[in-house]
Amino acid sequence: MKLKSVLFFLFLFSISKAQTLDELKVETKKVYDASYNIDFDEILNYSYPKLFELVDRTQMTQVLESNFQNPEFSVRFVYPNPVFTYSELKKINQQTFCIVRYNGAIRMKYEKPLTDQLANGMLTTFKQHMTGKKVTFEKERNSFLIEGESVMIAISDNVTQNKWRFINYDAGQLDFIDKMLTETVRKQLGL
C-alpha cells in the first residue's frame, strides 16, 4: 500500500512539473511573438513586475519605442520561430525559475545611409559591447545584423500570481538585473 501511495505521489509530481514546463513553453512563445511583432504592451505584460518598481510602465514603453522605432533607425527581430531550450525548473525560496535560451537575431536598420567610416566605428563599438554576439554591417540594407544566443529568466512567484514572467538577461546589465533578483539567486541560477 505504501509503495502504491509513493508511486502515485511521484506520478502526480511529474505530471505537475510537466504541466508547468508545458505552460512555460506556451508563455515563452507568446512573449517572443510579442517581441517579434513589436507589441510593446504585450511585452510589458510578460515582464517581471519588479521591473516597474525601477522604471514606471509609461517610461518603459517610451524607452522601448525610442529603441525600436525612431527617426534614425528601427529594430526588428529576424527569426520568426526560434528554437528554445529550457533549464531544469529551480525552486529558490518561494520562487520558481527557468533559464530559457534561444538563438536570436535582430536587424538595426538606419534611415540615412551610413558612411563606411561611421559604419566601421559603430561595428567596432557594437562588437565591444555585445560580447558573444556576431555583428555584421549589411551595407546593401544600411543595417546591422546582430546574431547570437539570447537568454531570458522565467520567474513564477507570488509577485507574478504564479504565472510565468520574464527578465531579459544581459551580462552587461547586471546592476539592473540584481535590483530585481539578488546576486545570490542569479549565481544559483548559474548566471
Side-chain angles (χ1 to χ4, degrees):
M1 182 67 178
K2 275 187 171 181
L3 180 60
K4 285 183 181 179
S5 295
V6 169
L7 290 175
F8 177 72
F9 284 111
L10 286 174
F11 174 71
L12 283 178
F13 175 75
S14 67
I15 287 176
S16 66
K17 185 174 179 181
Q19 289 171 336
T20 303
L21 185 58
D22 288 342
E23 188 178 288
L24 174 58
K25 289 178 179 181
V26 169
E27 298 303 296
T28 301
K29 177 73 171 126
K30 287 179 183 177
V31 73
Y32 184 83
D33 287 348
S35 298
Y36 184 81
N37 294 316
I38 314 295
D39 184 344
F40 300 129
D41 284 333
E42 198 65 7
I43 291 168
L44 295 178
N45 288 342
Y46 280 99
S47 296
Y48 188 57
K50 285 192 175 184
L51 169 69
F52 305 116
E53 293 173 12
L54 304 172
V55 181
D56 125 325
R57 189 178 172 109
T58 303
Q59 289 174 314
M60 196 64 205
T61 301
Q62 292 168 348
V63 167
L64 288 171
E65 287 173 352
S66 69
N67 283 329
F68 278 81
Q69 299 168 324
N70 63 62
E72 293 178 30
F73 64 87
S74 61
V75 176
R76 295 289 180 264
F77 283 76
V78 176
Y79 303 141
N81 296 305
V83 175
F84 299 102
T85 59
Y86 300 85
S87 70
E88 288 186 35
L89 302 182
K90 189 165 193 157
K91 269 255 199 236
I92 302 173
N93 302 325
Q94 304 301 315
Q95 299 175 295
T96 304
F97 296 92
C98 185
I99 305 303
V100 181
R101 299 176 187 273
Y102 62 98
N103 282 326
I106 60 170
R107 180 167 283 119
M108 191 175 217
K109 184 174 182 354
Y110 284 80
E111 298 303 318
K112 294 181 182 175
L114 298 175
T115 65
D116 288 342
Q117 182 179 1
L118 182 57
N120 288 333
M122 292 172 71
L123 184 62
T124 300
T125 301
F126 286 145
K127 286 181 177 181
Q128 287 172 346
H129 293 288
M130 297 181 175
T131 56
K133 303 277 187 186
K134 178 182 174 188
V135 183
T136 309
F137 179 62
E138 303 170 309
K139 188 172 184 162
E140 69 285 352
R141 290 183 184 219
N142 196 45
S143 64
F144 290 92
L145 180 64
I146 303 166
E147 303 172 283
E149 182 180 73
S150 293
V151 179
M152 292 187 291
I153 304 168
I155 305 168
S156 174
D157 62 13
N158 290 338
V159 173
T160 68
Q161 299 170 340
N162 296 315
K163 296 177 183 173
W164 289 108
R165 294 298 178 253
F166 301 87
I167 297 172
N168 283 318
Y169 176 77
D170 180 347
Q173 296 182 346
L174 293 182
D175 288 343
F176 187 70
I177 292 169
D178 285 345
K179 290 178 182 172
M180 291 182 281
L181 303 174
T182 65
E183 183 179 355
T184 304
V185 168
R186 187 174 44 78
K187 286 183 177 179
Q188 287 178 330
L189 295 172
L191 300 170

